[in-house]
Amino acid sequence: MFVVCRPVTDSDLPNVINLDHRCFGGLWDESAYSREILSPNSDLLVIQDGSASLSPIIGLGCLWAILEEAHITVLGIDPHYRRLGLGRWLLIHLLRAAIARELAHATLEMRKSNQVARSLYGSFGFQVAGERRHYYADDEDALILWKKNLQAPEFLQDLMAQQKQLEAQLQIAVPGGS
């Protein structure tokens, strides 16, 4: 599989909205994604399957840089491409973006029932810091996860090791060696 992770452009918006509906049921609309593209405090990334003829967008991730914190607001993979390690691949790129911005910590909210996401984030050192009651439209609670010390050399080494392992596992071709 040839996978490309890159920033979202305006021309991606129809496909991003389509993926948003498949992953999140319509979390954000086009104007919200447009604001993220323009914001200097946001990293909005997509994953494309470059091995397919039309290069569909199969993953979407976003973080906000707030003071010294990376707030991960969106991370989703097309249901047809789940369980391949692409969520991990996208999270690595979001965390690398946070590190490049010299952010010290990362946080996010996730559904309390989402054990797959909890396992993924836990493998990067995220820990439960709290809970938001009735956070989602269906009244489900959210867990607040927190990862400190993004700039620690050990974390960066672990992040790069996970990336290399995933590249080998998925046989991901990485343009320009990123």
Side-chain angles (χ1 to χ4, degrees), residues 137-154:
D138 62 2
D139 269 350
E140 184 173 353
D141 297 342
L143 294 177
I144 302 166
L145 300 186
W146 184 260
K147 168 69 180 129
K148 59 184 180 177
N149 299 322
L150 292 182
Q151 298 298 327
E154 306 82 33

Side-chain angles (χ1 to χ4, degrees), residues 71-145:
H71 186 102
I72 298 172
T73 57
V74 172
L75 194 142
I77 302 297
D78 184 300
H80 297 294
Y81 288 85
R82 290 184 182 157
R83 307 257 187 223
L84 299 175
L86 297 173
R88 178 174 300 277
W89 181 250
L90 186 52
L91 182 56
I92 286 169
H93 281 78
L94 287 172
L95 292 171
R96 286 183 58 193
I99 290 166
R101 286 180 175 267
E102 299 183 359
L103 303 175
H105 314 289
T107 189
L108 59 96
E109 292 91 9
M110 57 159 284
R111 286 184 176 273
K112 191 173 183 178
S113 64
N114 191 340
Q115 293 303 311
V116 172
R118 190 159 179 194
S119 176
L120 171 65
Y121 295 123
S123 72
F124 286 88
F126 281 83
Q127 297 180 340
V128 176
E131 196 170 304
R132 295 195 195 279
R133 310 284 289 149
H134 313 290
Y135 184 73
Y136 293 99
D138 62 2
D139 269 350
E140 184 173 353
D141 297 342
L143 294 177
I144 302 166
L145 300 186

Side-chain angles (χ1 to χ4, degrees), residues 40-84:
N41 298 318
S42 180
D43 286 298
L44 181 60
L45 304 175
V46 291
I47 295 178
Q48 282 185 285
D49 177 0
S51 64
S53 60
L54 296 178
S55 246
I57 291 175
I58 58 174
L60 177 65
C62 184
L63 72 78
W64 295 340
I66 305 170
L67 300 174
E68 294 184 346
E69 177 183 309
H71 186 102
I72 298 172
T73 57
V74 172
L75 194 142
I77 302 297
D78 184 300
H80 297 294
Y81 288 85
R82 290 184 182 157
R83 307 257 187 223
L84 299 175

